[in-house]
């Protein structure tokens, strides 16, 4: 979300709280980018996102097959931020995911 690269460049100056509110309002998943240089959205924002009703999606930001292993960083960040599996799209049971998608299609 912020475009940061750890030890390389800071994130964009954006109103993360406002973005999270918009995501919650429209049922848009908040990405947890698991790439070791990104690790974004920072885990310190996860509780705020949860409180506002956001759901998440963990993305390895893989540019090769080898980089699929980055997923574990995203899972660890989600755990550190207190994100339960039931609020992560790619950890949901199929029935929960289909229900979420059905709700999204009704509001679109």
């Amino acid at each position: 979300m912020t475009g940061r690269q750890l030890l390389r460049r800071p994130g964009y100056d954006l109103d993360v709280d406002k973005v999270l509110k918009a995501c919650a309002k429209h049922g848009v998943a908040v990405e947890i980018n698991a790439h070791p240089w990104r690790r974004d959205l920072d885990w310190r924002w996860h509780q705020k996102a949860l409180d506002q009703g956001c759901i998440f999606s963990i993305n390895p930001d893989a540019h090769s097959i080898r980089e699929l292993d980055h997923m574990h960083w995203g899972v660890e960040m989600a755990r550190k931020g207190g994100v339960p599996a039931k609020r992560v799209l790619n950890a949901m049971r199929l029935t929960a995911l289909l229900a979420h998608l059905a709700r999204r299609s009704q509001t679109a």
Side-chain angles (χ1 to χ4, degrees), residues 40-62:
D40 193 25
L41 181 67
D42 190 289
W43 68 271
R44 290 170 285 198
W45 284 102
H46 293 181
Q47 188 59 55
K48 180 72 135 178
L50 289 169
D51 292 346
Q52 292 180 18
C54 291
I55 57 166
F56 295 82
S57 177
I58 300 174
N59 169 19
D61 195 16

Side-chain angles (χ1 to χ4, degrees), residues 13-14 18 20 26 39 51 66 69 86-87 96 98:
D13 185 22
L14 60 98
K18 191 173 184 177
L20 294 176
H26 298 286
R39 298 193 199 167
D51 292 346
R66 175 177 89 238
D69 290 340
K86 67 183 179 184
R87 298 283 286 275
L98 292 174

Side-chain angles (χ1 to χ4, degrees), residues 1 3 5 8 10 14 17 19-20 41 43 53-54 57 62 83 85 88:
M1 177 185 301
Q5 287 188 354
R8 292 178 172 206
L14 60 98
D17 189 49
V19 172
L20 294 176
L41 181 67
W43 68 271
C54 291
S57 177
V83 179
V88 179

Side-chain angles (χ1 to χ4, degrees), residues 1 63-64 69 80-81:
M1 177 185 301
H63 296 264
S64 70
D69 290 340
K80 185 174 183 176

Side-chain angles (χ1 to χ4, degrees), residues 64-85:
S64 70
I65 292 171
R66 175 177 89 238
E67 291 179 347
L68 291 172
D69 290 340
H70 292 162
M71 255 333 245
H72 79 93
W73 292 113
V75 172
E76 289 180 27
M77 281 190 357
R79 286 179 177 161
K80 185 174 183 176
V83 179

